[in-house]
């Protein structure tokens, strides 16, 4: 008969169910981004500016891929970068018009005209935040017509 001595038990702590609290720098970056969108789009509340920002960023995140998507996510506040990076890349790129229409379907009570305003409000602020070189790289990846949505002149010849 073999006698063994009891081994001490180790316990593995359960994961915390509390949501992660963002640090002040993350929160400030997101607040600055949505405040700029609120001003550009003349939205009456911060909540509306945040809703529009999240919707447009999630739509854009599906259409920008590769190094440009990574660079864009890194150039933005963590919360905005996470919205972009969490999207599954689209299999078919949308024209600028189709992109605006897809955003219109995601925003309750939106029309193509109001969605164009929303998209332009967010993307023009986004272009200012990420800088001209990255904006140009992103625009070369997207179908023609997006430059105007980013608040840039569309100098590409039309087909």
């Amino acid at each position: 008969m073999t006698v063994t001595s009891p081994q001490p038990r180790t316990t593995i702590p359960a994961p915390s169910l509390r949501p992660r609290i963002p640090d002040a720098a993350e929160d400030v970056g997101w607040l600055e981004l949505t405040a700029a969108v609120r001003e550009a789009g003349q939205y009456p509340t911060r909540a509306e500016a945040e809703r529009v920002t999240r919707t447009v960023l999630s739509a854009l995140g599906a259409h920008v891929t590769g190094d440009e998507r990574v660079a864009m996510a890194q150039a933005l506040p963590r919360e905005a970068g996470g919205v972009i990076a969490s999207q599954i890349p689209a299999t078919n790129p949308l024209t600028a018009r189709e992109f605006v229409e897809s955003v219109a379907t995601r925003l309750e009570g939106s029309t193509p005209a109001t969605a164009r305003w929303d998209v332009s409000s967010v993307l023009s602020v986004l272009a200012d935040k990420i800088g001209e070189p990255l904006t140009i790289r992103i625009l070369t990846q997207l179908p023609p017509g997006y430059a105007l949505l980013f608040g840039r002149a569309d100098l590409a010849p039309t087909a």
Side-chain angles (χ1 to χ4, degrees), residues 9-96:
R9 291 186 179 198
T10 57
T11 58
I12 300 172
S16 173
L17 297 178
R18 293 180 306 169
R20 188 180 76 75
I21 300 171
D23 65 30
E26 290 175 35
D27 197 34
V28 168
W30 174 253
L31 290 175
E32 287 174 352
L33 177 68
T34 56
V37 169
R38 181 178 180 187
E39 184 177 326
Q42 301 176 350
Y43 298 107
T45 65
R46 187 182 79 207
E48 185 173 355
E50 286 186 8
R51 179 179 65 90
V52 168
T53 301
R54 285 183 194 285
T55 303
V56 173
L57 291 179
S58 67
L60 183 65
H63 294 283
V64 176
T65 58
D67 292 340
E68 287 74 20
R69 177 177 164 148
V70 172
M72 182 172 46
Q74 290 174 341
L76 293 172
R78 184 176 291 180
E79 191 165 345
V83 170
I84 289 169
S86 67
Q87 302 309 306
I88 297 170
T91 55
N92 296 321
L94 298 177
T95 66

Side-chain angles (χ1 to χ4, degrees), residues 85-136:
S86 67
Q87 302 309 306
I88 297 170
T91 55
N92 296 321
L94 298 177
T95 66
R97 181 179 185 180
E98 292 168 336
F99 180 81
V100 169
E101 290 170 354
S102 77
V103 170
T105 64
R106 298 177 186 202
L107 291 170
E108 185 178 332
S110 185
T111 66
T114 59
R116 188 181 193 298
W117 177 267
D118 295 334
V119 168
S120 294
S121 297
V122 174
L123 295 185
S124 63
V125 168
L126 178 78
D128 290 341
K129 295 286 183 192
I130 64 174
E132 191 71 17
L134 181 54
T135 300
I136 291 169

